[in-house]
Amino acid sequence: MTGAEFIEFIQRLFHPETIIHLGGLTLLSLVVFAETGLMIGFFLPGDSLLFTAGLLCATGFFDTSIYNLLIFVTLAAVFGDSVGYYFGKKMGEKLFTKKESWLFKPEYVTITKRFYEKYGGKALVLGRFLPIVRTFAPVLAGVVKLQYRRFVVFNVSGAVLWVFSLTLTGYFLGVLVPEIRQYLEHIIISLIIITAIPVIRTYLKERKEQKNQHKTPDSSQ
């Protein structure tokens, strides 16, 4: 296997349809759990995976009921955020000084921190729809020791809204327009672009502010 073939294999391995065909509902739930509960899960295809699962369920290519799909994936999302919360609570402020590695970038925490400072606990709901933020928001909630009762409310609300909206959108599109599966690749790319825009904007804004801070002369001199 050449290098190009290996890269293509890895890309296909994390493709939503491949995940569903390889492991069904079990692997799908594990991927959702990993993306929301493990800091290394930020690269997993959460939004497109839910949409694809709903569409394939409607068109008969995913052998499970829509009810099982919604229940198991929502539970996986809730448990994932809970694990992230406890991890953040245990790790505390050390998260902000964690060294960069292949699977961890400090700017991911910075982006999520800015989002969390803007929206507070609501970031756990709104952040469900944003890659990276989806992974790190529950961790930050644990770091700042958000009251657990409030965390549970935001956690469950966000999980239900995220899972139901994307999965049912895919499902009802599959019911109404079965041939839409032919364009699934294009839809997935569009979803990735749309959900990435707010994250990229926040990242660029953060970089710009950091550069301005470095350029601003010290007023005490």
Side-chain angles (χ1 to χ4, degrees), residues 11-191:
Q11 289 175 336
R12 295 299 302 173
L13 191 61
F14 291 104
H15 190 278
E17 279 194 89
T18 304
I19 291 171
I20 292 167
H21 289 317
L22 284 178
L25 186 56
T26 301
L27 184 57
L28 169 59
S29 300
L30 286 174
V31 168
V32 170
F33 170 83
E35 189 184 19
T36 56
L38 307 177
M39 287 203 302
I40 61 171
F42 61 86
F43 60 87
L44 295 170
D47 298 322
S48 55
L49 183 58
L50 295 180
F51 178 88
T52 302
L55 192 150
L56 295 182
C57 182
T59 53
F61 290 92
F62 187 10
D63 188 20
T64 189
S65 73
I66 187 63
Y67 304 105
N68 283 339
L69 179 58
L70 292 171
I71 290 170
F72 280 94
V73 177
T74 299
L75 288 174
V78 169
F79 287 132
D81 261 28
S82 298
V83 170
Y85 175 85
Y86 280 113
F87 180 80
K89 192 173 182 180
K90 184 176 181 180
M91 192 170 191
E93 296 292 331
K94 289 185 290 185
L95 176 69
F96 301 115
T97 56
K98 184 176 172 61
K99 292 183 179 179
E100 182 174 341
S101 66
W102 181 60
L103 287 174
F104 177 83
K105 306 294 181 184
E107 55 261 34
Y108 297 160
V109 177
T110 302
I111 290 171
T112 308
K113 187 172 183 289
R114 175 177 284 276
F115 193 81
Y116 194 88
E117 287 171 347
K118 184 176 181 179
Y119 295 104
K122 294 178 184 176
L124 293 164
V125 178
L126 301 173
R128 287 279 190 181
F129 296 87
L130 301 174
I132 298 178
V133 176
R134 178 165 54 242
T135 300
F136 289 94
V139 179
L140 275 177
V143 171
V144 302
K145 294 181 173 60
L146 176 68
Q147 185 182 33
Y148 187 68
R149 191 174 299 174
R150 292 189 66 210
F151 168 77
V152 170
V153 172
F154 288 126
N155 180 14
V156 174
S157 301
V160 170
L161 186 61
W162 179 54
V163 173
F164 275 58
S165 62
L166 287 168
T167 306
L168 290 178
T169 297
Y171 180 80
F172 286 119
L173 272 175
V175 170
L176 297 171
V177 192
E179 60 272 18
I180 199 173
R181 184 175 180 270
Q182 302 173 36
Y183 307 99
L184 184 57
E185 201 76 32
H186 302 290
I187 296 172
I188 288 175
I189 292 172
S190 299
L191 271 175

